[in-house]
């Protein structure tokens, strides 16, 4: 699922809050403490500077302008077609507002510099956030973070997994650093882990009013990433800090279920339906990408009973989507496929996704319904759901003139 702009928000950390002169004095000692925990040598000093909040907002707006308008539009359309954001949602504007509300410090891995916003206050969160950003800086000295993120497509599930590695590790190290001064051990006590993971959230009016998917995209790399990093540390010890960069997780499923990372269980690579050639004359493809367990879980929990959606998502095995646009009227068409671990799980998803369609649209008219197929029309146009073995495919937004059979069945990549 695309979340290129959403990932920018993950540069933000908890509120930094100490007087500027004393704050910078802590950089060296903190880096040395992190070095003792990770085994990573401090290769160079980390420059730090104060940044006015207004300048930060302009910086983010300029960064957004670097993104291709076509790609941004495709990302926003995809989120709207899935029903993950409202139809009037402005992805760029909302992301800038969210960044401006949440960010207080960030490490820029392109400039190799730590920025601290001037909106500071004196409390213990300041030190924790500073440790978090310096953990990024130290990791960057041994594993180029910019290169690490660019190695995966920005539109696939693996990008979110890599972001969870970066933010989860920095969050874990922040707490491990603080506990080391009390216990002498550079790790998080097991009886504190879940509480700390649950506290790795965000707050503020912009965040509170954001759609569920946007909120969870922001906090997932922190609250699920810290649990993943702890599991890696318990298995590999110090070597785990390098392991996640040298052999990164390939899906959010591996973040959510670390045992699948250890066993190298990769997602099924099944292609989303393609519009046939005759339809291709009327449509152009705008985007394609992978779906992950994180995406499916959020979608089901948003529109169905949350617990049932969460449980069903654990049976997810892989998926992908394609977004098309009518060349004439610019109306989008979404096709996607999801693979499941059993025919029963696929059947359950078919039933749950019917609830999603009914909830995300104002109008849903079913013209045909059977155990393995549901079709009809909704707000975006004609739709069809098909159960094919352990897979469910969907086509949504097809115009009345285009036959529902104008898309190919899912087929696995080699």
């Amino acid at each position: 699922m695309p979340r290129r702009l959403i990932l920018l928000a993950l540069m933000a950390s908890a509120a930094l809050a100490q007087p500027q002169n004393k704050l910078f004095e802590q950089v060296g000692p903190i880096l040395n403490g992190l070095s003792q925990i990770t085994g990573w040598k401090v290769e160079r000093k980390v420059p730090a500077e104060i940044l006015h909040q207004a300048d930060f907002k302009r910086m983010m707006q300029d960064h957004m302008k670097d993104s291709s308008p076509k790609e941004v539009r495709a990302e926003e359309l995809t989120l709207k077609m899935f029903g993950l954001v409202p139809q009037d949602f402005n992805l760029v504007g909302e992301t800038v507002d969210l960044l401006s509300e949440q960010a207080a410090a960030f490490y820029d891995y392109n400039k190799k510099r730590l920025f601290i916003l001037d909106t500071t206050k004196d409390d213990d969160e300041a030190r924790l956030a500073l440790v978090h950003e310096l953990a990024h800086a130290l990791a960057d000295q041994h594993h180029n973070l910019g290169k690490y993120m660019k190695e995966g497509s920005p539109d696939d599930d693996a990008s979110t997994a890599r972001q969870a590695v970066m933010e989860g590790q920095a969050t874990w190290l922040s707490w491990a650093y603080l506990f080391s001064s009390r216990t002498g051990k550079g790790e998080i006590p097991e009886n504190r882990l879940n509480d700390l993971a649950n506290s790795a959230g965000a707050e503020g009016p912009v965040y509170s009013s954001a759609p569920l998917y946007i909120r969870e995209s922001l906090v997932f790399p922190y609250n699920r990433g810290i649990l993943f990093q702890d599991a890696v540390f318990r298995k590999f010890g110090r070597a785990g800090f390098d392991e996640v960069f040298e052999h990164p997780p390939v899906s959010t499923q591996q973040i959510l279920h670390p045992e699948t990372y250890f066993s190298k269980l990769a997602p099924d690579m099944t292609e989303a339906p393609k519009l046939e050639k005759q339809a291709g004359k009327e449509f152009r493809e705008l985007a394609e990408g992978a779906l992950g367990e994180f995406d499916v879980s959020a979608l089901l929990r948003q529109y169905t009973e949350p617990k049932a959606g969460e449980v069903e998502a654990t049976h997810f095995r892989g998926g992908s989507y394609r977004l098309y646009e009518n060349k004439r009227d610019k109306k989008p068409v979404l096709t996607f496929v999801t693979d499941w671990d059993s025919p029963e799980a696929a059947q359950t998803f078919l039933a749950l996704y019917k609830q999603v369609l009914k909830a995300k649209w104002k109008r849903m008219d079913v013209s045909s319904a059977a155990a393995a197929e549901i079709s009809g029309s909704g707000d975006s146009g004609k739709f069809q759901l098909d159960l094919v073995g352990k897979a469910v495919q969907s086509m949504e937004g097809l115009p009345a003139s285009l036959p529902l059979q104008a898309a190919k069945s899912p087929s696995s990549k080699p």
Side-chain angles (χ1 to χ4, degrees), residues 82-394:
F82 271 104
L84 292 167
V85 300
Q87 292 301 311
D88 61 354
F89 189 79
N90 183 306
L91 185 59
V92 171
E94 293 287 341
T95 302
V96 170
D97 289 344
L98 184 61
L99 280 164
S100 301
E101 176 183 77
Q102 297 297 320
F106 68 96
Y107 174 72
D108 188 325
Y109 50 66
N110 292 315
K111 296 182 178 180
K112 312 297 182 185
R113 181 176 291 270
L114 174 65
F115 291 93
I116 300 170
L117 271 69
D118 59 357
T119 51
T120 59
K121 56 184 179 180
D122 190 13
D123 59 29
D124 291 338
E125 259 187 308
R127 193 157 173 253
L128 183 66
L130 181 60
V131 179
H132 182 107
E133 300 307 325
L134 289 173
H136 283 319
L138 185 58
D140 192 34
Q141 293 183 8
H142 294 266
H143 302 278
N144 187 300
L145 297 185
K147 182 179 179 182
Y148 180 72
M149 289 306 300
K150 289 178 182 178
E151 285 177 350
S153 165
D155 286 336
D156 67 17
D157 192 51
S159 294
T160 308
R162 287 170 182 254
Q163 194 74 37
V165 164
M166 288 173 50
E167 299 300 345
Q169 185 179 97
T171 304
W172 189 94
L173 283 171
S174 300
W175 288 108
Y177 176 86
L178 295 184
F179 279 114
S180 68
S181 64
R182 304 173 191 172
T183 66
K185 293 183 178 181
E187 61 184 69
I188 298 176
E190 292 188 66
N191 64 345
R192 296 295 308 278
L193 181 65
N194 287 330
D195 288 340
L196 295 177
N198 291 333
S199 69
E203 57 185 17
V206 177
Y207 174 81
S208 298
S209 63
L212 180 144
Y213 185 78
I214 301 297
R215 296 197 309 270
E216 295 201 355
S217 292
L218 176 66
V219 301
F220 175 85
Y222 299 90
N223 60 17
R224 300 307 303 224
I226 188 177
L227 297 175
F228 174 77
Q229 177 59 56
D230 191 75
V232 170
F233 178 78
R234 301 295 171 187
K235 184 173 180 63
F236 297 111
R238 233 188 206 184
F241 297 119
D242 293 303
E243 179 70 16
V244 290
F245 287 107
E246 294 170 358
H247 303 99
V250 297
S251 67
T252 53
Q253 185 177 64
Q254 291 189 345
I255 297 295
L256 289 162
H257 313 286
E259 66 276 9
T260 63
Y261 172 70
F262 302 141
S263 65
K264 297 180 172 58
L265 179 64
D268 293 340
M269 300 299 290
T270 301
E271 291 190 43
K274 294 181 179 179
L275 295 183
E276 297 283 11
K277 290 183 179 179
Q278 62 267 32
K281 295 178 181 179
E282 300 178 37
F283 294 85
R284 66 171 61 90
E285 185 175 306
L286 294 183
E288 64 176 330
L291 296 173
E293 182 177 331
F294 168 79
D295 302 314
V296 172
S297 176
L299 181 64
L300 292 179
R301 286 183 290 107
Q302 180 172 338
Y303 289 110
T304 69
E305 197 282 314
K307 186 61 178 178
E310 183 178 8
V311 171
E312 172 65 8
T314 64
H315 297 282
F316 177 79
R317 288 295 300 115
S320 63
Y321 73 92
R322 282 191 169 89
L323 180 70
Y324 293 91
E325 178 184 61
N326 189 299
K327 295 177 181 178
R328 181 171 42 84
D329 60 18
K330 307 298 183 184
K331 290 184 177 180
V333 171
L334 174 70
T335 74
F336 73 86
V337 62
T338 55
D339 283 337
W340 301 88
D341 60 12
S342 70
E344 293 76 19
Q347 185 74 63
T348 299
F349 177 74
L350 182 70
L352 288 173
Y353 194 68
K354 181 181 177 181
Q355 296 180 38
V356 171
L357 292 180
K358 188 175 181 179
K360 77 176 183 178
W361 289 336
K362 295 179 181 178
R363 178 184 65 84
M364 178 184 174
D365 299 318
V366 176
S367 58
S368 175
E373 178 268 333
I374 304 170
S375 61
S377 61
D379 292 356
S380 60
K382 292 197 301 185
F383 74 90
Q384 179 161 326
L385 303 177
D386 290 295
L387 176 64
V388 185
K390 295 190 293 183
V392 175
Q393 73 169 22
S394 175

Side-chain angles (χ1 to χ4, degrees), residues 70-81:
K70 291 182 179 179
E71 292 178 347
V72 172
R73 178 172 175 269
E75 180 172 352
E76 186 176 288
L77 274 176
T78 303
L79 294 173
K80 290 177 178 178
M81 285 296 288

Side-chain angles (χ1 to χ4, degrees), residues 21-62:
N21 58 339
K22 293 186 178 180
L23 189 64
F24 290 139
E25 292 175 2
Q26 299 181 52
V27 170
I30 290 173
L31 279 173
N32 291 332
L34 291 171
S35 175
Q36 293 177 11
I37 295 172
T38 60
W40 289 335
K41 182 180 178 182
V42 179
E43 302 288 351
R44 56 185 177 273
K45 294 182 179 180
V46 179
E49 64 180 81
I50 297 296
L51 184 68
H52 295 298
Q53 190 173 41
D55 293 333
F56 172 77
K57 187 169 185 177
R58 282 193 292 270
M59 180 188 295
M60 291 299 98
Q61 290 171 334
D62 291 341

Side-chain angles (χ1 to χ4, degrees), residues 399-410:
S401 60
L402 190 66
L404 288 172
Q405 292 77 16
K408 297 179 180 179
S409 298

